[in-house]
Amino acid sequence: MKNTIEKALQKQKAAKAAEQKDTSNEQLSKSQTERENDAQQVAIEATPSTPSSATKLFTNEKEFKNTRSQLDEFTIDLERLDKNGHISLNGERKQINEEYREIKRKLLANAFGSLSKTLHNPNIIMVTSSRPSEGKTFTATNLAMSIASEQDKTVLLVDADVLKPNVLNTLGLERRKGLMEYLTGDVDDIAEVLYPTNIDKLKIIPAGKSHHLSTELLASQKMHDTVNEFANRYPDRIVIFDTPPLIGINESAILANFAGQAVVVVEEGKAKIGDIKMSVERLNPDMAIGFVVNKSVHNDTDGSGYYGYYYSERSN
């Protein structure tokens, strides 16, 4: 009996010792594994060349750059423009402000009124001229700023005069990537060259770099799809294209196929009737076409002179 009890106690002690040994080995193994994992984590964090770390760093950098580009707006010196004869956005009632109000009312009526149903892309407006130096960019920038002052409209100003861009220069802005970089694939998304400005409802796409295939790029399906997106994505948006002169330049005729309205700027005393007729022939006959007489000096009732800018629609 005694031997049986002693054997049972010995078995219990042996089983307990074995259990304690197994538990100790398990804890040791677990501790060693945790130390190895910690060491691997330290190695990963200390080695930026590992795939996971590099990928994470690249993603963060890309997100940071995208955030900055969205905030990198054009700052337009409104006081400078005011002194240079542009419209004023500080509340002052200037003659030029009233004249551009009259012009934009007709354009907005065409874009959003009953006539809009008869036009293709009525909110796409091209501003052009017969010959260079008649004031088309001056007119395009003033129209854009005037429409941007509307309570319920936004404006996108596109410098499509890719041969001789002048929008940024007129507004006193630095050169940046623009439309041509997008069409050539140097940038992937049009949003990368669509810059906000300090005028809340005005955005600008610069012309970008010059390219020997500018005609073909503007005529591409990519350009066609982009303009369609401009025309249809935002119901309150007016898109103004500052295009090259019409005579002797193929790009303008291509761009005329995208727009529902055209503003032809003519310089009083310089533009010839033959040039104006030739310009109209190069436009889409289904467009709403108006004329702005630029640099036209008239006398006010007190005998003082001022520049006038007038809009009149084509009467067949």
Side-chain angles (χ1 to χ4, degrees):
M1 181 71 176
K2 183 178 179 180
N3 290 338
T4 302
I5 293 174
E6 286 178 352
K7 287 180 180 179
L9 290 174
Q10 287 176 356
K11 285 183 179 179
Q12 288 179 356
K13 288 181 181 179
K16 188 174 183 180
E19 183 180 353
Q20 289 177 345
K21 184 178 181 180
D22 290 341
T23 302
S24 177
N25 289 339
E26 182 180 351
Q27 290 176 345
L28 180 63
S29 176
K30 183 178 180 181
S31 176
Q32 184 175 357
T33 301
E34 288 176 349
R35 287 196 299 270
E36 289 175 353
N37 289 340
D38 290 342
Q40 289 177 356
Q41 183 65 29
V42 169
I44 289 173
E45 291 177 351
T47 311
S49 61
T50 58
S52 59
S53 177
T55 302
K56 184 176 181 180
L57 178 63
F58 175 76
T59 301
N60 289 343
E61 277 190 351
K62 187 175 182 180
E63 289 173 355
F64 179 69
K65 287 179 180 178
N66 286 343
T67 301
R68 288 197 62 185
S69 67
Q70 291 172 358
L71 299 176
D72 191 15
E73 69 176 19
F74 276 124
T75 302
I76 301 171
D77 187 342
L78 300 178
E79 184 177 349
R80 169 188 170 274
L81 292 182
D82 191 358
K83 291 179 179 178
N84 286 348
H86 282 71
I87 67 170
S88 173
L89 295 183
N90 61 11
E92 182 183 355
R93 291 187 71 88
K94 296 172 60 175
Q95 181 68 35
I96 188 173
N97 283 50
E98 299 306 312
E99 289 158 350
Y100 272 99
R101 283 191 176 107
E102 184 177 351
I103 296 169
K104 77 175 177 181
R105 285 284 160 253
K106 298 180 183 296
L107 295 170
L108 292 175
N110 290 343
F112 302 105
S114 58
L115 185 62
S116 64
K117 297 179 176 61
T118 68
L119 300 173
H120 175 64
N121 294 343
N123 59 333
I124 306 288
I125 302 170
M126 66 177 292
V127 180
T128 186
S129 60
S130 300
R131 303 283 184 181
S133 303
E134 294 193 71
K136 64 180 183 60
T137 302
F138 179 85
T139 300
T141 52
N142 275 303
L143 272 176
M145 291 192 296
S146 183
I147 296 174
S149 66
E150 293 287 308
Q151 297 298 303
D152 57 353
K153 297 292 181 289
T154 61
V155 184
L156 173 60
L157 175 60
V158 183
D159 192 346
D161 191 347
V162 294
L163 301 177
K164 193 176 180 182
N166 197 32
V167 167
L168 297 186
N169 183 58
T170 298
L171 296 176
L173 303 172
E174 71 277 9
R175 294 184 63 179
R176 294 185 188 175
K177 291 181 179 180
L179 181 62
M180 296 307 291
E181 279 81 3
Y182 169 64
L183 293 177
T184 57
D186 290 350
V187 299
D188 296 328
D189 195 320
I190 191 66
E192 296 179 49
V193 293
L194 198 156
Y195 301 97
T197 72
N198 56 320
I199 300 175
D200 184 45
K201 296 180 180 179
L202 173 64
K203 291 182 171 60
I204 295 175
I205 296 180
K209 65 182 180 183
S210 60
H211 197 281
H212 67 286
L213 294 176
S214 58
T215 302
E216 288 76 11
L217 290 168
L218 290 175
S220 67
Q221 186 63 42
K222 188 174 185 178
M223 181 66 177
H224 185 273
D225 293 342
T226 302
V227 174
N228 280 342
E229 183 179 358
F230 289 162
N232 300 305
R233 185 169 184 178
Y234 300 104
D236 64 341
R237 173 174 283 178
I238 288 287
V239 183
I240 297 176
F241 280 92
D242 180 23
T243 70
L246 287 162
I247 296 177
I249 299 177
N250 291 323
E251 283 81 353
S252 296
I254 293 170
L255 292 166
N257 293 321
F258 297 139
Q261 300 190 67
V263 174
V264 182
V265 180
V266 295
E267 181 179 349
E268 185 174 77
K270 178 180 178 180
K272 300 177 181 178
I273 296 298
D275 287 348
I276 297 173
K277 289 182 178 180
M278 189 183 304
S279 298
V280 172
E281 289 172 358
R282 292 179 65 82
L283 293 172
N284 186 335
D286 296 326
M287 302 173 76
I289 302 174
F291 300 88
V292 171
V293 181
N294 191 30
K295 304 180 185 178
S296 174
V297 180
H298 297 269
N299 288 325
D300 220 340
T301 53
D302 61 359
S304 60
Y306 64 86
Y307 286 101
Y309 307 84
Y310 299 97
Y311 179 88
S312 62
E313 292 191 21
R314 184 179 58 170
S315 57
N316 296 330

